[in-house]
Amino acid sequence: MCIQSVLLQEGHLIDLQTLRVFMAVGDEASFVGAARKLGLSATTVTRTVKTLEADLGVSLFNRTTRSVHLTTEGAEFLIRCRTAIFDLDDAVAVAKGAGTEPQGVLSITAPVIFGRLHVLPVVTDLLKIWPKLTIRLFLTDRVVHLVEEGIDLAIRIAPPQNSALKMKKIGEVQKIFVASDAYIERCGEPETFKDLATHSLIDVDEYATGHSEWRLGGKNNPSIRISPRLSVNSVDAALSAAIDGLGIASALSYQTEEPVKKGYLRRILPDTATSILPVVILFPVRERQSVNLQIFVSAMKERFMNEPLMKKNRSTLTHE
């Protein structure tokens, strides 16, 4: 099976190789880089893109003597081309019978600690089972744009906001309060949520501004205004400070699991009712038939069926 061209609305055909050349230039931000990547001459790549721009009637790139950047139209066209080409490649693979066994590259992004504790073990198991499968795992706490960055799926810990993405829920987590035995012995243990305001608090704040609010559940639930002793932009740093006895930290249950199990931290206010956060897998609609995605989702669900992220349906502290 060989799909060579796609039909434009005006009835003209564009060769798929032309679209692949355009995508390479967009990805590399360089005609020379794209030529090297595709094994073509720079002249051929330049001519191909100029012809495509003429056929479309738009400029896809802003060119200077030192740089090549996508125009607004070019960036939008790149996103749509990538989705279309991936769909066609998947269709060809299925037609050839390759869709029955996981193979090729699966790109995954997940939060750093969650990825290390819960995604990496699943990934290594899958790679042992399926020798033709390759996985690229990006552990980062920033929000990755899947289509724009060429990622197949993302694991997020929050209600999804992008309705254009498909979602599969695999579990739930809660945010809890923790402190070291040394701190509790020195400063006492809070008895209520509002008592936290009188303690030394460690806040996770992306910009480390030093002022924040901790709230139980949604906007109509109780909240306290805090002036933390320490503000950091990393959960790992906050937990390290709590282990050192600086104060009370708040983090998600999976983030505190290891230090609590090892006795470095103790959970406080365990009966405080707060909201629950879903753990979801998000992926573009084009991935709905991917066997790679299906086996990964199944493996993650099985992991949390046997080892739930939450032992009880208690709620968490949502941070503002």
Side-chain angles (χ1 to χ4, degrees), residues 2 80 88 118 123 221 277:
C2 182
R80 295 179 181 273
L88 288 171
H118 297 295
V123 164
N221 289 299
L277 296 177

Side-chain angles (χ1 to χ4, degrees), residues 35-188:
R36 187 182 302 113
K37 178 179 180 180
L38 298 173
L40 302 173
S41 69
T43 301
T44 298
V45 170
T46 301
R47 186 188 309 118
T48 300
V49 171
K50 285 184 178 179
T51 300
L52 177 60
E53 289 177 321
D55 289 340
L56 295 174
V58 297
S59 295
L60 299 172
F61 295 99
N62 291 317
R63 305 162 173 84
T64 69
T65 56
R66 294 185 177 181
S67 64
V68 176
H69 298 291
L70 287 161
T71 62
T72 301
E73 295 81 4
E76 177 66 21
F77 189 58
L78 179 62
I79 293 172
R80 295 179 181 273
C81 279
R82 181 175 283 124
T83 299
I85 293 295
F86 285 170
D87 280 343
L88 288 171
D89 287 344
D90 284 346
V92 171
V94 170
K96 290 181 176 180
T100 59
E101 178 182 351
Q103 60 181 284
V105 180
L106 179 65
S107 299
I108 303 167
T109 183
V112 175
I113 299 177
F114 188 89
R116 175 172 57 82
L117 294 178
H118 297 295
V119 181
L120 186 58
V122 170
V123 164
T124 55
D125 285 345
L126 290 177
L127 292 176
K128 292 174 184 176
I129 297 170
W130 303 107
K132 295 182 180 179
L133 180 64
T134 298
I135 293 179
R136 297 164 60 211
L137 180 59
F138 300 92
L139 300 184
T140 176
D141 291 328
R142 73 177 178 88
V143 175
V144 175
H145 299 283
L146 301 189
V147 176
E148 291 89 334
E149 300 188 40
I151 305 296
D152 296 314
L153 62 93
I155 295 176
R156 302 266 170 82
I157 303 173
Q161 303 296 320
N162 189 339
S163 60
L165 298 174
K166 302 287 277 186
M167 178 192 79
K168 290 187 181 295
K169 183 178 176 181
I170 57 173
E172 295 173 333
V173 295
Q174 67 179 134
K175 191 169 283 188
I176 64 177
F177 307 106
V178 291
S180 68
D181 288 338
Y183 175 81
I184 293 172
E185 290 173 4
R186 187 173 73 250
C187 301

Side-chain angles (χ1 to χ4, degrees), residues 252-266:
L252 294 174
S253 50
Y254 75 88
Q255 296 168 331
T256 62
E257 183 178 2
E258 282 187 330
V260 169
K261 276 186 176 180
K262 293 178 179 179
Y264 300 144
L265 293 172
R266 181 200 305 179

Side-chain angles (χ1 to χ4, degrees), residues 21-39:
V21 169
F22 160 68
M23 290 170 59
V25 176
D27 291 339
E28 299 292 325
S30 166
F31 286 93
V32 174
R36 187 182 302 113
K37 178 179 180 180
L38 298 173

Side-chain angles (χ1 to χ4, degrees), residues 3-6 14-21 85 88-89:
I3 302 174
Q4 295 181 335
S5 58
V6 291
I14 290 184
D15 183 82
L16 285 186
Q17 179 63 13
T18 296
L19 297 182
R20 295 185 191 277
V21 169
I85 293 295
L88 288 171
D89 287 344

